Amino acid sequence: MTRTPKQDRSRVTRRRLLEATIDSLAQAGWNATTVGVVAERAGVSRGATQHHFPTREDLITAALEYMFDERTDVARREAETIPPGPGRTKIVVERLVEYYTGPMFKAALQVWTAASADPELRDRIVPLEEKFGRRAHQMAVENLGVDDTDPAVHRLVQATLDLARGLGLADVLTDDARRRSEVVRAWADVLDAALTQQ
Amino acid sequence: MTRTPKQDRSRVTRRRLLEATIDSLAQAGWNATTVGVVAERAGVSRGATQHHFPTREDLITAALEYMFDERTDVARREAETIPPGPGRTKIVVERLVEYYTGPMFKAALQVWTAASADPELRDRIVPLEEKFGRRAHQMAVENLGVDDTDPAVHRLVQATLDLARGLGLADVLTDDARRRSEVVRAWADVLDAALTQQ
């Protein structure tokens, strides 16, 4: 029988809580995502949960950071598999948009919307959102293989991230996958042509 | 002294309630926007409020419809003042994006986000959102003066609306006006060139 060191068990518990938080936010929404609900979902005692995350805000901000870091790592590895050449822009935009239609975006949307009417939560979320924005931009630049010091390129990359955010929001109430794939294709064509001209 | 006919008073009361609902959603958020809070904000008795809107959902969906109709009327009148010529696309995109950063979008965001975790509310909101989406698309087409039967044009107009939605969301926690104006300009240039090519 192998024994799990205490530190590893603690890390596993922490991860289960963070993943349960994202799932609960994405599926059940802001109001339903209490520390108690998350603890139950994760199968972790209330006491252990509060040891890791003293407040609901601690739990929720940690969950967003954790998921963002995880997704960024996956994206970085996936990006290495995208072949260079004329189809690359479309694949990069497609993958980018996928992030904004997944559980992490749906969870973050719940938090942003709540934060817009809660100044204390907003103060915690704004720096996090800025960090996410900077890193998403940086990754898009790397994956597109473009020169971001060119102001026109910089703005087109920003526009692509804004489009992705808008497509994410359009997917919240209904499955928008079919329409979205057409929009992404049209955008990628225009973006590719514009980036080539710079 | 002039007397206001009963029907007019009723219409004024109704309008005050609907405007107070939008303001409350945009500023105080979903949870804080109860029938009681809206009635107080509007200076209307609780009884009169419930006479007009039996449930909170009735009040909120009516408020979204009312504001959308109002804004559409204003937009239609404003559109007549946009001069034709090379700068038109930029002005149309700018005005479009303005809608998605105003109180109506911020109010709608609160409702969509709540609806994503509430199947009953979702059933009421989805048809409304579809109607809004169709009319926003139609107006963008008219104002851009393009042929929407061309599939490529249709998708570029959709992408512009998706971008506007994403820019709206980026403005919820912080004032994003400066960055947004750069993104809008960059996209308008690309869009204008792409539409001209079609």
Side-chain angles (χ1 to χ4, degrees), chain A residues 25-31 105 109-117 122 125-126 129-130 152 155-156 158-160 162-163 165-167 169-170 172-174 176 179 182-183 185-187 190-191 194 197, chain B residues 25-31 105 109-117 122 125-126 129-130 152 155-156 158-160 162-163 165-167 169-170 172-174 176 179 182-183 185-187 190-191 194 197:
Chain A
L25 282 168
Q27 290 160 24
W30 173 258
N31 285 339
F105 176 83
L109 179 66
Q110 294 287 332
V111 181
W112 291 332
T113 305
S116 77
R122 183 199 310 237
I125 296 301
V126 166
E129 208 207 332
E130 280 166 3
R155 278 176 220 127
L156 287 172
Q158 285 193 313
T160 303
D162 287 314
L163 172 77
R165 202 184 293 113
L167 288 168
L169 191 49
V172 164
L173 293 187
T174 48
D176 189 42
R179 187 191 74 89
E182 301 282 320
V183 171
R185 198 187 316 159
W187 183 276
V190 170
L191 177 68
Q197 275 166 24
Chain B
L25 282 168
Q27 289 161 25
W30 172 258
N31 285 340
F105 176 83
L109 180 66
Q110 293 288 332
V111 181
W112 292 333
T113 305
S116 78
R122 183 198 311 236
I125 296 301
V126 166
E129 208 208 331
E130 279 166 4
R155 277 177 221 127
L156 286 172
Q158 285 193 314
T160 303
D162 287 314
L163 173 71
R165 201 184 293 112
L167 288 167
L169 191 49
V172 164
L173 293 187
T174 49
D176 189 42
R179 186 191 74 88
E182 301 282 321
V183 171
R185 198 187 316 161
W187 174 245
V190 170
L191 177 66
Q197 276 167 23

Side-chain angles (χ1 to χ4, degrees), chain B residues 23-57:
Chain B
D23 289 347
S24 175
L25 282 168
Q27 289 161 25
W30 172 258
N31 285 340
T33 305
T34 61
V35 173
V37 163
V38 170
E40 211 188 305
R41 222 178 226 266
V44 173
S45 77
R46 186 74 181 248
T49 303
Q50 274 172 337
H51 167 72
H52 282 279
F53 305 103
T55 71
R56 186 184 181 212
E57 283 67 31

Side-chain angles (χ1 to χ4, degrees), chain B residues 101-149:
Chain B
T101 50
M104 196 185 74
F105 176 83
K106 288 179 169 65
L109 180 66
Q110 293 288 332
V111 181
W112 292 333
T113 305
S116 78
D118 177 342
E120 229 171 287
L121 182 63
R122 183 198 311 236
D123 287 347
R124 293 193 67 159
I125 296 301
V126 166
L128 213 61
E129 208 208 331
E130 279 166 4
K131 181 184 141 193
F132 293 174
R134 270 195 310 276
R135 279 175 56 190
H137 187 96
Q138 193 188 332
M139 279 199 48
V141 167
E142 281 171 25
N143 295 346
L144 289 167
V146 291
D147 174 15
D148 196 49
T149 62

